[in-house]
Amino acid sequence: MKERLKKFVAENLSRARVLVIGDVMLDKYYFGEVNRISPEAPVPINHVLQVKETLGGAANVAHNLALTCGKIFVVGQTGKGNHGKTLLKKMTSRGIDVSGMVETSQRTTTKIRVISGHQQMLRLDFEDAEDISGESAEKIIANFSERLADSDAVIISDYGKGVCTEEICDEVINLSRKAGKVVAVDPKGDDWKKYSGAGFITPNLKEFNAVLPKKIKNDDSEIETAAKKIIEKFNLGGLIVTRSAAGMTLIDGEKIAHIKARAQEVFDVSGAGDTVIAVFTAALAGGLPSQDAAYLANVAAGVVVAKVGTYAVSREELFAALEN
């Protein structure tokens, strides 16, 4: 499998074209060190040494795709102001087509993290997270529809910030299925009815448990049994359940694969789910079978969790990880 996947990454992955729709975000990091306590209040003083701005949420999914495969379209919403301008500029600089983005009255979702060493000390969230409706929703659906024919696959990246409403998800999945495009969903919350008919859903174990009548353990057989019921209930093509140190499980029809996590030091799991759905969907779009695509996504996730902060894996890093 190793040589086959290396050849695929080197020759075929860059041809995949993916359309991402969902909640884009701007992630800001203040990296520093703590040496004393404030005289003003009993809180640590972080001496900031570096400031970093990067793409988060659905924008991080698009970023992973931009570094691994071909043409990437993103449809979502930003607000007015500097955060929205920065987000669009950063996506454009990475070769992502942002012509489908819609400016609304809501604020651009922005997460600010203060970090000392490898330890996150504080997070500040700027967001409105209201469901998009009316003219803005119509424009998002129209922008999606216009770009669908030029895409090989679709990703719905739901962070619960207003873009992935039931109306929009229903329309996106129906349009994609009619066009013969695979749809993968990174879910949010306990209402998966809006994802009915999707090709794949890629929850972590916590997200998976949120839609089950009774929580299950991180156990192969329990996940298999529950996944088959969920697939039938929501008319899905399959599921990938990411399981932290236990790796991930793929259920696709009669195909079941339990893929072990790569043993290494883990610094930060934020953004790992974005990498999984990006690489998995891009691999499917490039023609890989689902089991090979899941294995490749697991390798990519292993690269990301060894980094601090939101991180997008490149095709070169993916090839090197396979080599190792």
Side-chain angles (χ1 to χ4, degrees):
M1 179 188 288
K2 174 182 172 181
E3 293 303 318
R4 183 171 72 251
L5 291 181
K6 283 169 59 180
K7 182 177 181 181
F8 173 81
V9 170
E11 299 177 5
N12 296 344
L13 189 57
S14 62
R15 301 174 188 172
R17 303 168 301 166
V18 183
L19 173 52
V20 180
I21 181 167
D23 301 300
V24 299
M25 306 179 192
L26 178 65
D27 283 347
K28 298 185 71 171
Y29 294 86
Y30 291 86
F31 295 98
E33 58 185 15
V34 174
N35 296 312
R36 61 194 180 101
I37 301 298
S38 172
E40 303 166 2
V43 294
I45 296 174
N46 190 323
H47 178 207
V48 177
L49 303 173
Q50 180 188 2
V51 179
K52 177 183 176 183
E53 293 180 325
T54 190
L55 302 173
N60 186 44
V61 175
H63 190 191
N64 276 275
L65 290 165
L67 294 179
T68 52
C69 56
K71 185 68 176 176
I72 309 303
F73 305 91
V74 62
V75 176
Q77 76 87 25
T78 60
K80 297 178 181 178
N82 291 333
H83 287 169
K85 292 177 182 177
T86 299
L87 185 55
L88 292 174
K89 184 177 179 180
K90 285 190 171 295
M91 285 195 285
T92 301
S93 70
R94 287 156 175 76
I96 300 167
D97 187 325
V98 298
S99 61
M101 293 295 297
V102 176
E103 185 180 281
T104 72
S105 59
Q106 294 186 197
R107 289 183 293 179
T108 301
T109 300
T110 304
K111 296 181 179 180
I112 297 177
R113 297 172 176 90
V114 180
I115 296 172
S116 175
H118 294 313
Q119 180 63 50
Q120 184 177 148
M121 300 173 60
L122 178 69
R123 194 177 96 178
L124 304 174
D125 288 6
F126 298 81
E127 62 183 33
D128 290 327
E130 297 175 1
D131 283 355
I132 290 176
S133 59
E135 186 177 334
S136 295
E138 291 175 3
K139 195 166 185 180
I140 281 177
I141 292 172
N143 287 355
F144 173 85
S145 181
E146 289 170 5
R147 289 153 184 79
L148 183 58
D150 293 326
S151 307
D152 300 313
V154 172
I155 292 175
I156 298 175
S157 179
D158 190 354
Y159 273 82
K161 306 304 179 186
V163 170
C164 301
T165 63
E166 184 172 350
E167 175 194 3
I168 289 176
C169 286
D170 282 348
E171 192 68 16
V172 164
I173 292 170
N174 288 334
L175 288 171
S176 300
R177 292 185 67 169
K178 288 178 181 177
K181 316 289 185 180
V182 65
V183 183
V185 181
D186 192 355
K188 187 72 173 180
D190 58 3
D191 178 17
W192 282 16
K193 181 182 177 183
K194 62 181 177 179
Y195 310 135
S196 295
F200 289 91
I201 300 186
T202 63
N204 58 37
L205 186 60
K206 181 180 178 181
E207 292 166 337
F208 189 47
N209 268 319
V211 297
L212 299 178
K214 182 180 178 181
K215 287 188 176 181
I216 61 173
K217 298 177 183 178
N218 197 353
D219 173 82
D220 289 358
S221 61
E222 288 195 29
I223 289 173
E224 285 181 31
T225 301
K228 290 176 181 177
K229 292 178 181 178
I230 291 296
I231 288 170
E232 182 178 359
K233 180 178 180 179
F234 296 109
N235 188 29
L236 306 174
L239 275 172
I240 287 184
V241 182
T242 55
R243 303 167 53 190
S244 300
M248 65 172 62
T249 293
L250 166 74
I251 300 94
D252 178 10
E254 296 302 314
K255 291 185 289 185
I256 298 174
H258 301 290
I259 304 168
K260 294 182 179 180
R262 295 164 66 85
Q264 61 189 317
E265 188 171 4
V266 175
F267 287 129
D268 194 342
V269 298
S270 61
D274 298 335
T275 299
V276 168
I277 195 168
V279 174
F280 176 72
T281 309
L284 290 179
L288 270 188
S290 59
Q291 187 168 338
D292 286 357
Y295 182 86
L296 193 62
N298 187 59
V299 172
V303 174
V304 170
V305 298
K307 309 292 183 179
V308 177
T310 306
Y311 187 83
V313 64
S314 68
R315 190 162 60 250
E316 292 74 19
E317 286 174 303
L318 189 53
F319 187 90
L322 286 168
E323 185 73 22
N324 295 328

